[in-house]
C-alpha cells in the first residue's frame, strides 16, 4: 500500500487498514449504538462486538470468553503487567517499551547474542527465588523480528508456579498464532500492526485468571476493562484478524519472506559490510533489521524518506529520539553498530516494486557515503 | 422501520461529516504519527490539527490536550494520576478527594480504588434538584484536600453543575478541580479559564465523534502534574503511551470543530424540541414529573418519572423507541438508579423513571411520534 512514487516499508510501526476492514468499520461507524444499552440499537452494537470477539478468538485459537478488548497493545501490556498481583516480575531485555516501562521493579531476563531470551538464565532466575513470578517475553521482537521460544519458557515458568505474559503484537498476521499451543497465560494483541485500525487491541487470558482491572467504571468487558467499547474499532479488528489468518494459510508468510529475502540479498550485495540481525534465525518473515556501520541510522532514514521510502530506526514510539536501539544493545551489539541499524518491514500491501525502490535509494546513499 | 433513537446520552451516532473526515486516515494516509518519515509526519500533522480543534472547544492551549481511549480512561487518569503524583512525588500530605454521589461510575470507582490506597474520599450528597450544594462543598474542602471532581453535566438527569462557582472555590482554596465533561462537551459552553478548571475529561462518542477516543485537558499554568496510568513509548508527553489512533483523533477533532460552529443553534433547537415534548407528555399524563432541575439542565435531556408504571414495562410497550432507564453501563441492572435515589426519589418512583436523550439528528416529527407512542403506551398499560 504505497502511493505510486513511494514505498512504505514500516509495517512494524503501523500498517494501512485493509479495504475490507475499512468497509466494515465504515458500516459500524454509521450503525451507532452503545453495546451496553438494552434497546435494539444497543443490542445491534453488542452483537457486532461479540461477533468480532468470536472472530478474533477463532483467528488465534482462543475462546471468545478469553478476549478482553482494550485500546491497543500498550494498554494490553499494562493490564497484564499490573493485573496479576504476583510478588515478582521478570521481563526480557528486548521487550517493547510498554512492557519495560510498565514495571520499574522488574528483574531483567537477558537475551543471547543471537537475540533469543536466555532460557538457562531464566531457569536460574526462577530457581533463585521461590516466590511465583509473572514473566513477560514477547513472541516476536518488533525490531529484529526474532521469534522467542515461548512454549519452552511457558513450561519453565509454569513448573515454577508462575505465569507467563506474551506480547504477541508483532506476530499477529505475520506468523501462525495459536495461543493454546503457545502456552502463555496472558497474550497481548494489537489491531493496527496487521491491517486493522489504530486504537484497539486485546488481552487474551482465560476467565479463570484473576485480573485486576486498570480502568474502572461501568464494568464493561466483564469488569476487566471499563469504558464504552470502541465498536467500529473492534469490528475492524475482528475482520483484520480473520483476513490476516486466512491469508497466512494461503501463503502470505512465504510471499512476505520472498520480499524480505530479496531486499536482504540486494542490500547485502550492494554493501558487503552490512550486518543483518537475525539472519538464519527463526524470525518474522516480514522483518529485516540491518546495520551499516559508520552510517548513522537517522541519516539512512532521512535519505530514504527524501526518496519516498519509509523505514525506521527502531521502534516508532522512540524513533524521534536519536539513541542506539536498546534491543540491539541487549544482544551485545556494539553501540556504534546499533546506532547505524535500520528496520525494514513489509506487509500486506508490499510488492517487489517496493524492494526495487528501496534498493535503488539505499544503493545511492551507500555509494555517496562510501 | 428503524426505531426512533432517544438515547443520545448513551452514545451519539457519528456525524457523517466526522466519518468522512476519518476515512482517508484508515487507508490512504495511514502512517504511525510517531514515525519520522513522510507517512508519519502527515499523520502527526493531522493529530495536531485535531488537538488544536479540541483545545479551541475548551478554550485551552493544544499542549494541554492529552488524547485517551475515552472518558473512562480520561477520568481514571485525571483522578488517579493527580492523586498519585501528589502522594508520591511531593512533600504535601494532601490525601483528600471530594466528589458527588451522582458522578459517573468511572469517577466513583476511581475514587474507591484510591480509598483502598489510603485516600480520604468524601462523596457529597446533592440537592433535591441534582445540583451541588456549594456550602457543603466549601465545608468539605479542607487543608488535606487534593482534588475536587464534579461532573459538568449529569449523564442521567442532565443537570448542569455551576462549574465557574466550583472552579472559583477550588482556586481560592488551592485544590485541583477536575470535571467529567463527557456529557457537556459540545452541549454547553466550556471555558477552562473562565471556569478555573484544572482537569477536564471528554469523550468523542458523546459528541457525534467515534467511540474509542477521548481527551483529558491538563492545565499548564499553573502546571497540573499527573503520573501516567499507562507507560511505554512516552507518547502524549509521557502522560499516555501507545500509538495514537489517527483516524479516531481526527474524528474527535472534526466533532469538536462542528460543535464549536453549531452548538448554539443546536442547543436552541433542542431546547424547543424538549420543551414541546415535555409539554405534550405532561398534558396527556398529568402524573408525570421531571427528575432534576429544569432550569439548570442540558437541552437534550428529559428524565421523567411515570408514577406507578415500571420503566421496563414502558420500554417494552414502546418498541419503536430506543430510550433507556438510566446509564447504559448499568442498563442491565435491576437496582434503581443511584443518581435518582441521591435526589431523594424513592425506589418506586426511581424504578418508574425513564431517560429521553434528544440530539443533533432528532427531528420535530420524531419527537412528536415519540410523545404519541409514550402516551399511548402509558394509557394502555394503565387501563
Amino acid at each position: 500500500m504505497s502511493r505510486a512514487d513511494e514505498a512504505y516499508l514500516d509495517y512494524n510501526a503501523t500498517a494501512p487498514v485493509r479495504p475490507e476492514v475499512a468497509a466494515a468499520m465504515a458500516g459500524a461507524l454509521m450503525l451507532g449504538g452503545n453495546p451496553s444499552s438494552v434497546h435494539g440499537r444497543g443490542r445491534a452494537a453488542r452483537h457486532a462486538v461479540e461477533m468480532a470477539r468470536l472472530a478474533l478468538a477463532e483467528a488465534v485459537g482462543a475462546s471468545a470468553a478469553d478476549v478482553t478488548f482494550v485500546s491497543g497493545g500498550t494498554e494490553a501490556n499494562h493490564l497484564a503487567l499490573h493485573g496479576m498481583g504476583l510478588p515478582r516480575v521478570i521481563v526480557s531485555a528486548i521487550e517493547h517499551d510498554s512492557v519495560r516501562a510498565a514495571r520499574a521493579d522488574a528483574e531483567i531476563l537477558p537475551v543471547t547474542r543471537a537475540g533469543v531470551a536466555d532460557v538457562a538464565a531464566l531457569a536460574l532466575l526462577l530457581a533463585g527465588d521461590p516466590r511465583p513470578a509473572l514473566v513477560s517475553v514477547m513472541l516476536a521482537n518488533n525490531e529484529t523480528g526474532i521469534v522467542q521460544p515461548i512454549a519452552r519458557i511457558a513450561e519453565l515458568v509454569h513448573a515454577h508456579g508462575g505465569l507467563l505474559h506474551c506480547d504477541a503484537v508483532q506476530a499477529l498476521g505475520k506468523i501462525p498464532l495459536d495461543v493454546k499451543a503457545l502456552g502463555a497465560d496472558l497474550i497481548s494483541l494489537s489491531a493496527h500492526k496487521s491491517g486493522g485500525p489504530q486504537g484497539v487491541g486485546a488481552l487474551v487470558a482465560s476467565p479463570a485468571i484473576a485480573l485486576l482491572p486498570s480502568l474502572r467504571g461501568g464494568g464493561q468487558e466483564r469488569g476487566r476493562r471499563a469504558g464504552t467499547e470502541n465498536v467500529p474499532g473492534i469490528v475492524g479488528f475482528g475482520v483484520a484478524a480473520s483476513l490476516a489468518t486466512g491469508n497466512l494459510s494461503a501463503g502470505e508468510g512465504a510471499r512476505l519472506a520472498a520480499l524480505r529475502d530479496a531486499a536482504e540479498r540486494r542490500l547485502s550485495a550492494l554493501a558487503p559490510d552490512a550486518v543483518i540481525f537475525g539472519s538464519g534465525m527463526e524470525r518474522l518473515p516480514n522483518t529485516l533489521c540491518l546495520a551499516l556501520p559508520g552510517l548513522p541510522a537517522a541519516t539512512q532514514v532521512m535519505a530514504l524518506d527524501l526518496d519516498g521510502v519509509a523505514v525506521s530506526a527502531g521502534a516508532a514510539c522512540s524513533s524521534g529520539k536519536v539513541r542506539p536501539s536498546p534491543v540491539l544493545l541487549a544482544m551485545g551489539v556494539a553501540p556504534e553498530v546499533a546506532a547505524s541499524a535500520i528496520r525494514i518491514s513489509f506487509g500486506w500491501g508490499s510488492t517487489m516494486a517496493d524492494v526495487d525502490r528501496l534498493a535503488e535509494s539505499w544503493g545511492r546513499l551507500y555509494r555517496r557515503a562510501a | 422501520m428503524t426505531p426512533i433513537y432517544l438515547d443520545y446520552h448513551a452514545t451519539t451516532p457519528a456525524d457523517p461529516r466526522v466519518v468522512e473526515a476519518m476515512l482517508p486516515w484508515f487507508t490512504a494516509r495511514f502512517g504511525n504519527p510517531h514515525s519520522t518519515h513522510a507517512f508519519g509526519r502527515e499523520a502527526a500533522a493531522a493529530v495536531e490539527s485535531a488537538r488544536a480543534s479540541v483545545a479551541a472547544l475548551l478554550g485551552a492551549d493544544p499542549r494541554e490536550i492529552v488524547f485517551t481511549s475515552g472518558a473512562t480512561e480520561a477520568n481514571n487518569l485525571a483522578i488517579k494520576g493527580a492523586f498519585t503524583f501528589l502522594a508520591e512525588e511531593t512533600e504535601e500530605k494532601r490525601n483528600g478527594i471530594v466528589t458527588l454521589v451522582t458522578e459517573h461510575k468511572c469517577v466513583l470507582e476511581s475514587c474507591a480504588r484510591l480509598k483502598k490506597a489510603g485516600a480520604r474520599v468524601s462523596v457529597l450528597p446533592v440537592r433535591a434538584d441534582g445540583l451541588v450544594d456549594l456550602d457543603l462543598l466549601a465545608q468539605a474542602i479542607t487543608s488535606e484536600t487534593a482534588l475536587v471532581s464534579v461532573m459538568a453535566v449529569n449523564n442521567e438527569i442532565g443537570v448542569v453543575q455551576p462549574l465557574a462557582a466550583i472552579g472559583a472555590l477550588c482556586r481560592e482554596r488551592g485544590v485541583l478541580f477536575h470535571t467529567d465533561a463527557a456529557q457537556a462537551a459540545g452541549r454547553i459552553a466550556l471555558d477552562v479559564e473562565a471556569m478555573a478548571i484544572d482537569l477536564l475529561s471528554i469523550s468523542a462518542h458523546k459528541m457525534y465523534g467515534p467511540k474509542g477516543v477521548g481527551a483529558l485537558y491538563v492545565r499548564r499554568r499553573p502546571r497540573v502534574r499527573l503520573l501516567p496510568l499507562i507507560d511505554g513509548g512516552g507518547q502524549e508527553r509521557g502522560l499516555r503511551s501507545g500509538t495514537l489512533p489517527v483516524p479516531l483523533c481526527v474524528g474527535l477533532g472534526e466533532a469538536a470543530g462542528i460543535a464549536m460552529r453549531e452548538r448554539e443553534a443546536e442547543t436552541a433547537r433542542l431546547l424547543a424540541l424538549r420543551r414541546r415534548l415535555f409539554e405534550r407528555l405532561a398534558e396527556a399524563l398529568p402524573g408525570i414529573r421531571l427528575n432534576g432541575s429544569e432550569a439548570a439542565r442540558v437541552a437534550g435531556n428529559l428524565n421523567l418519572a411515570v408514577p406507578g408504571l415500571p420503566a421496563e414495562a414502558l420500554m417494552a410497550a414502546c418498541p419503536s423507541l430506543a430510550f433507556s432507564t438510566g446509564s447504559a453501563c448499568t442498563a442491565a441492572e435491576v437496582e434503581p438508579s443511584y443518581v435518582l435515589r441521591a435526589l431523594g426519589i424513592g425506589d418506586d418512583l426511581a424504578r418508574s423513571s425513564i431517560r429521553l436523550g434528544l440530539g443533533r439528528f432528532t427531528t420535530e416529527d420524531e419527537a412528536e411520534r415519540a410523545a404519541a407512542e409514550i402516551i399511548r403506551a402509558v394509557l394502555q398499560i394503565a387501563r
Side-chain angles (χ1 to χ4, degrees):
Chain A
M1 186 79 189
S2 297
R3 276 155 263 186
D5 55 342
E6 290 171 332
Y8 183 76
L9 296 173
D10 200 8
Y11 274 73
N12 288 8
T14 193
V17 166
R18 292 172 191 263
E20 302 92 326
V21 173
M25 289 182 68
L29 271 169
M30 301 306 290
L31 170 73
N34 183 324
S36 298
S37 297
V38 293
H39 48 64
R41 200 83 76 89
R43 292 197 306 276
R46 165 63 52 206
H47 181 72
V49 167
E50 296 313 318
M51 292 311 285
R53 197 187 306 277
L54 206 58
L56 175 64
E58 211 162 90
V60 300
S63 306
D66 300 344
V67 175
T68 299
F69 286 114
V70 298
S71 68
T74 292
E75 188 186 333
N77 287 338
H78 175 91
L79 182 57
L81 283 151
H82 284 273
M84 299 316 301
L86 289 180
R88 281 180 92 188
V89 178
I90 300 172
V91 309
S92 95
I94 54 166
E95 293 303 301
H96 187 264
D97 274 347
S98 56
V99 168
R100 305 244 329 187
R103 292 295 293 257
D105 58 340
E107 298 165 62
I108 304 297
L109 167 66
V111 298
T112 65
R113 297 190 82 83
V116 181
D118 190 333
V119 180
L122 178 62
L124 282 175
L125 267 175
L126 290 171
D129 188 332
R131 297 174 301 161
L134 172 67
V135 177
S136 181
V137 180
M138 68 205 321
L139 180 50
N141 184 264
N142 50 313
E143 296 186 29
T144 62
I146 294 171
V147 176
Q148 304 296 317
I150 297 301
R152 268 170 64 212
I153 291 172
E155 260 178 59
L156 200 57
V157 171
H158 290 153
H160 194 263
L163 292 172
L164 177 63
H165 166 247
C166 179
D167 171 0
V169 163
Q170 289 293 346
L172 182 65
K174 294 169 189 158
I175 53 174
L177 183 54
D178 180 339
V179 301
K180 294 236 158 57
L182 211 54
D185 305 285
L186 303 131
I187 292 140
S188 299
L189 301 171
S190 167
H192 80 96
K193 307 285 190 187
S194 56
Q198 294 160 351
V200 61
L203 183 66
V204 178
S206 156
I209 290 179
L211 192 67
L212 198 66
S214 291
L215 292 185
R216 289 161 182 276
Q220 290 91 344
E221 297 295 285
R222 299 166 193 244
R224 285 181 161 183
R225 202 281 187 179
T228 299
E229 298 86 342
N230 172 3
V231 181
I234 288 169
V235 166
F237 193 5
V239 174
S242 299
L243 279 173
T245 309
N247 289 346
L248 272 182
S249 317
E252 176 68 359
R255 191 188 74 87
L256 290 173
L259 294 174
R260 191 267 316 274
D261 293 344
E264 187 173 321
R265 270 196 312 276
R266 289 179 60 179
L267 299 195
S268 301
L270 286 164
D273 48 338
V275 182
I276 311 286
F277 299 102
S279 195
M281 303 286 300
E282 186 185 352
R283 68 185 152 145
L284 295 178
N286 78 317
T287 305
L288 173 58
C289 183
L290 134 162
L292 191 61
L295 194 55
T299 308
Q300 298 179 62
V301 170
M302 275 189 277
L304 290 169
D305 185 34
L306 288 175
D307 286 347
V309 179
V311 305
S312 77
C317 357
S318 54
S319 58
K321 307 160 201 161
V322 184
R323 55 163 190 172
S325 149
V327 171
L328 297 178
L329 295 181
M331 291 163 62
V333 174
E336 63 274 18
V337 177
S340 71
I342 60 169
R343 175 184 72 182
I344 298 155
S345 48
F346 298 86
W348 66 267
S350 306
T351 65
M352 206 51 92
D354 295 323
V355 176
D356 293 341
R357 192 170 284 277
L358 165 74
E360 277 165 33
S361 175
W362 198 79
R364 272 198 299 278
L365 165 71
Y366 180 74
R367 283 188 296 275
R368 272 205 308 274
Chain B
M1 203 169 100
T2 318
I4 298 170
Y5 188 72
L6 295 173
D7 203 8
Y8 276 79
H9 303 292
T11 188
T12 54
D15 191 300
R17 292 168 288 182
V18 169
V19 177
E20 198 181 322
M22 289 171 66
L23 290 179
W25 298 97
F26 284 117
T27 49
R29 312 167 82 179
F30 58 84
N32 182 322
H34 318 295
S35 296
T36 53
H37 48 62
F39 293 83
R41 293 194 304 271
E42 177 185 44
V47 168
E48 293 318 310
S49 158
R51 196 190 303 280
S53 295
V54 173
L57 182 68
L58 308 175
D61 183 289
R63 290 170 298 179
E64 297 176 313
I65 304 299
V66 176
F67 285 112
T68 66
S69 66
T72 290
E73 186 185 332
N75 284 334
N76 273 260
L77 174 59
I79 294 169
K80 295 177 185 168
F83 182 85
T84 49
F85 181 85
L86 283 172
E88 290 176 18
E89 307 282 326
T90 68
E91 296 301 309
E92 293 185 61
K93 291 289 169 255
R94 288 175 176 241
N95 69 344
I97 302 176
V98 180
T99 188
L100 299 186
V101 66
T102 50
E103 292 296 307
H104 190 271
K105 281 268 188 212
C106 63
V107 166
L108 295 174
E109 289 281 323
S110 294
C111 292
R113 181 70 198 157
L114 291 175
K115 200 171 176 177
K116 285 190 185 162
R120 287 161 42 113
V121 180
S122 311
V123 182
L124 302 183
V126 294
R127 306 188 323 198
D129 61 2
L131 293 174
V132 65
D133 181 331
L134 285 168
D135 293 334
L136 204 59
L137 179 63
Q139 287 165 30
I141 299 173
T142 68
S143 57
E144 289 181 353
T145 305
L147 175 78
V148 169
S149 182
V150 174
M151 74 203 308
V153 169
N154 184 269
N155 53 315
E156 296 193 28
I157 54 177
V159 299
V160 183
Q161 300 292 351
L163 297 176
I166 300 169
L169 176 63
C170 292
R171 183 66 56 88
E172 181 198 318
R173 306 288 284 275
V175 303
L176 295 177
F177 174 33
H178 165 249
T179 185
D180 168 5
Q183 296 287 347
R187 293 190 169 115
I188 64 168
L190 289 169
D191 183 332
V192 291
E193 290 308 324
M195 295 169 166
I197 294 165
D198 297 307
L199 295 155
L200 179 149
S201 309
I202 67 169
S203 166
H205 81 95
K206 309 281 193 192
M207 51 185 279
Y208 310 97
K211 294 181 182 64
V213 67
L216 179 66
Y217 158 81
V218 184
R219 176 172 291 282
R220 277 172 66 87
R221 291 208 178 89
R223 178 99 177 264
V224 173
R225 306 288 300 267
L226 304 177
L227 283 190
L229 289 182
I230 299 178
D231 292 304
Q235 291 93 343
E236 296 298 271
R237 297 166 190 265
L239 283 176
R240 208 297 186 174
S241 288
T243 301
L244 276 170
V246 181
L248 298 181
C249 295
V250 167
L252 174 54
E254 184 69 18
I258 295 170
M260 273 287 266
R261 296 190 298 273
E262 302 182 1
R263 184 185 58 78
E264 284 184 32
E266 191 169 288
T267 300
R269 188 185 77 84
L270 286 175
L271 195 57
L273 210 56
R274 175 192 96 197
R275 287 193 171 139
R276 171 132 189 81
L277 176 58
F278 184 63
E279 276 162 22
R280 287 265 284 128
L281 293 171
E283 226 170 69
L285 311 167
I288 211 163
R289 55 169 279 189
L290 184 69
N291 297 321
S293 168
E294 207 272 323
R297 193 181 199 96
V298 77
N301 176 281
L302 278 181
N303 192 305
L304 301 170
V306 191
L309 187 58
E312 276 75 22
L314 184 53
M315 281 177 75
C318 297
S320 71
L321 306 181
F323 61 90
S324 72
T325 57
S327 165
C329 312
T330 48
E333 282 181 19
V334 286
E335 283 289 295
S337 151
Y338 66 89
V339 171
L340 296 180
R341 284 193 298 188
L343 269 57
I345 295 169
D347 283 5
D348 283 349
L349 213 50
R351 281 204 184 84
S352 302
S353 293
I354 58 169
R355 178 181 70 176
L356 302 177
L358 284 60
R360 184 173 293 165
F361 307 109
T362 312
T363 63
E364 222 165 293
D365 175 57
E366 284 181 327
E368 285 297 324
R369 277 158 47 208
E373 173 90 356
I374 292 169
I375 293 165
R376 181 196 57 71
V378 172
L379 295 178
Q380 191 178 13
I381 301 172
R383 185 141 31 88

